[in-house]
Amino acid sequence: MGTVQALRDVEGKKPVGLADVQAAAARIGDSIIRTPCLESRTLSEITGARVFLKFENLQFTAAYKERGALNKLLLLDETAKSRGVIAASAGNHAQGLAYHGRRLGIPVTIVMPRPTPIAKVSPTEGHGATVILEGEKFEDAYAHAVEVGKTRGLTFVHPFDDADIIAGQGTIALEMLETAPEIDTLVVPIGGGGLISGMATAAKALKPGIEVVGVQAELYPSMYAKLRGLKLPCEGDTLAEGIAVKQPGDTTFEIVRDLVDDIVLVAERDLEKALSLLLTVEKTVVEGAGAAGLAALLAHPGRFRDRNVGVVLCGGNIDTRLLANVLLRDLARSGRLARLRLRLQDRPGALFQIARIFDEQQVNIIEIYHQRVFTTLPAKGLITDIECETRDRAHLDRLVDALARGGYEANMVELA
């Protein structure tokens, strides 16, 4: 990795080059949003790097996937356009393809696994696509999409392992370097590798000294492991579901191997912190994958310190309940929300005495939970959990100290 060696196919040609990306930019430019690329002073202070954010979550479908999908659709011949396209996707690729397919009058069929939430099915159908639910896993849906495509004569549109898709995604790098030419490091989320392949192709050609760093969730280190010849598990519930890919593409792997300088991994806690910061500091909503770039800066500060870093906020499609949980968990980790577990004697006035201490410390009580039965305490004892709201960690510590002085042992219920 880290070289600018040209990737060759069997005919000795690059599958994607700068000219392809530039042609894609001209082709799709009037139909996608040229999203802002803005410096964040606050995030720069927090991370120690000069941070430039590319707001791809502001695309119409709230994700960068539109770029590659539209480029692919525009390059189809008239016969293929009239017959239509098919893809397997339960996420942003499906919506991008459906939206631009309807705009162009190209029939779009999307195959999704049967357990796909209705919240993902409905927007895709809302963009005019025909949705087929097939199989229990994505692999089942993918195989069915390929088979249906062959049977019906539909063009299969791969979400990342396709030269036209890669070229379309690479247009992001063109825009970033035009807006902020001082960027010397690009930090890009990696799932199957389409986004980073396109961006690295364009960026390395325009600015050979630029560093391109990929980011993967620790639970799905597929590209990271393959480049290093490792066998690492790719499983689990990650916040960054948009980059939870078990097997990178063949074309994308070769491009990443030749052009990408490094790949770093981020933990779920880093992703949650980054997502929360982007909402509270930048007032912008991103999905887990969209927060991966900032998560890398938080998890590996020494790696990026004093660099001019371009971070791609690649998508903003997140379930509102999940978003609420992430924000509440971040408040808990920062000490602004807490659950304290106390042992009390089951007698009149016991809870009043506790509440008095909370009042003295100006701490807001949100919920109180009593447990009298399922406890190892004597029959006259009880466990009380009190959820409360404080100003910060120091304020919470003062409350715990005051409870201790009052004769109460308060144990914090910690998050993972």
Side-chain angles (χ1 to χ4, degrees):
M1 294 197 299
T3 69
V4 195
Q5 173 188 350
L7 172 63
R8 305 288 178 178
D9 64 12
V10 292
E11 296 178 352
K13 299 177 181 178
K14 299 179 186 178
V16 184
L18 175 61
D20 300 304
V21 179
Q22 291 172 328
R27 195 175 292 120
I28 70 176
D30 292 337
S31 301
I32 55 99
I33 297 171
R34 185 185 174 100
T35 55
C37 182
L38 304 174
E39 181 179 356
S40 173
R41 294 183 183 179
T42 303
L43 294 180
S44 296
E45 291 174 1
I46 291 172
T47 62
R50 189 180 177 197
V51 180
F52 295 85
L53 301 175
K54 180 63 166 166
F55 290 84
E56 282 298 291
N57 57 329
L58 299 182
Q59 292 292 349
F60 181 77
T61 61
Y64 77 96
K65 287 280 191 177
E66 295 186 23
R67 295 172 179 265
L70 176 56
N71 191 50
K72 181 68 176 181
L73 291 172
L74 291 173
L75 286 168
L76 296 175
D77 60 37
E78 292 306 315
T79 300
K81 288 179 181 178
S82 63
R83 288 179 176 175
V85 299
I86 190 168
S89 172
N92 295 330
H93 179 59
Q95 292 192 47
L97 200 61
Y99 169 60
H100 286 289
R102 181 174 64 177
R103 282 185 53 253
L104 298 170
I106 300 173
V108 174
T109 301
I110 303 294
V111 183
M112 297 180 174
R114 289 195 189 95
T116 301
I118 190 66
K120 291 187 176 182
V121 176
S122 294
T124 305
E125 290 179 328
H127 290 310
T130 298
V131 174
I132 298 173
L133 299 178
E134 179 66 33
E136 293 301 310
K137 300 181 295 182
F138 175 77
E139 291 77 12
D140 301 328
Y142 183 96
H144 188 69
V146 172
E147 185 60 34
V148 170
K150 291 178 180 178
T151 302
R152 299 183 185 176
L154 307 178
T155 300
F156 181 78
V157 181
H158 198 284
F160 50 82
D161 208 29
D162 180 292
D164 299 332
I165 294 288
I166 292 168
Q169 321 304 27
T171 59
I172 297 173
L174 299 183
E175 294 176 12
M176 292 181 76
L177 292 178
E178 183 178 340
T179 303
E182 59 268 54
I183 290 175
D184 56 39
T185 306
L186 289 172
V187 180
V188 185
I190 298 179
L195 176 61
I196 198 169
S197 293
M199 291 189 64
T201 296
K204 290 284 188 177
L206 291 172
K207 193 173 183 178
I210 197 169
E211 189 173 30
V212 181
V213 179
V215 187
Q216 290 199 293
E218 284 185 349
L219 293 175
Y220 286 85
S222 53
M223 186 75 79
Y224 175 93
K226 187 171 182 178
L227 285 166
R228 289 162 175 77
L230 303 174
K231 295 289 186 181
L232 298 178
C234 290
E235 57 188 15
D237 292 326
T238 177
L239 180 63
E241 60 180 17
I243 54 173
V245 175
K246 295 183 178 182
Q247 182 62 43
D250 295 330
T251 301
T252 57
F253 170 74
E254 298 294 338
I255 296 175
V256 169
R257 183 189 63 189
D258 289 345
L259 297 181
V260 174
D261 297 277
D262 194 11
I263 298 177
V264 297
L265 303 179
V266 292
E268 293 303 300
R269 178 176 290 206
D270 301 318
L271 290 164
E272 291 181 24
K273 179 64 176 177
L275 190 152
S276 180
L277 275 175
L278 286 163
L279 184 57
T280 55
V281 172
E282 294 299 327
K283 309 302 184 286
T284 193
V285 175
V286 298
E287 59 194 76
L294 179 58
L297 271 63
L298 298 173
H300 308 276
R303 176 73 176 75
F304 302 103
R305 185 170 289 115
D306 299 325
R307 307 280 292 183
N308 297 320
V309 182
V311 174
V312 185
L313 307 182
C314 59
N317 291 308
I318 184 170
D319 178 76
T320 51
R321 186 174 63 176
L322 176 59
L323 175 62
N325 287 342
V326 170
L327 295 176
L328 290 172
R329 286 165 63 89
D330 187 62
L331 289 175
R333 290 191 176 113
S334 67
R336 293 176 60 191
L337 284 180
R339 175 180 281 200
L340 299 178
R341 181 161 294 165
L342 301 99
R343 294 183 178 184
L344 304 178
Q345 290 184 314
D346 195 1
R347 61 178 60 176
L351 188 57
F352 170 79
Q353 296 300 325
I354 290 287
R356 182 178 55 80
I357 296 174
F358 276 74
D359 177 61
E360 290 171 353
Q361 295 299 316
Q362 292 294 289
V363 173
N364 185 36
I365 294 176
I366 300 173
E367 297 280 358
I368 298 176
Y369 307 88
H370 279 331
Q371 181 53 260
R372 287 181 168 85
V373 178
F374 297 99
T375 172
T376 58
L377 295 179
K380 291 187 176 182
L382 62 86
I383 289 176
T384 295
D385 280 5
I386 300 179
E387 287 187 8
C388 60
E389 182 180 19
T390 61
R391 290 188 293 274
D392 51 30
R393 176 67 67 176
H395 191 197
L396 177 60
D397 290 341
R398 290 195 296 272
L399 170 65
V400 173
D401 290 342
L403 288 167
R405 291 194 300 271
Y408 302 100
E409 179 185 350
N411 294 308
M412 223 109 55
V413 179
E414 299 286 353
L415 291 175

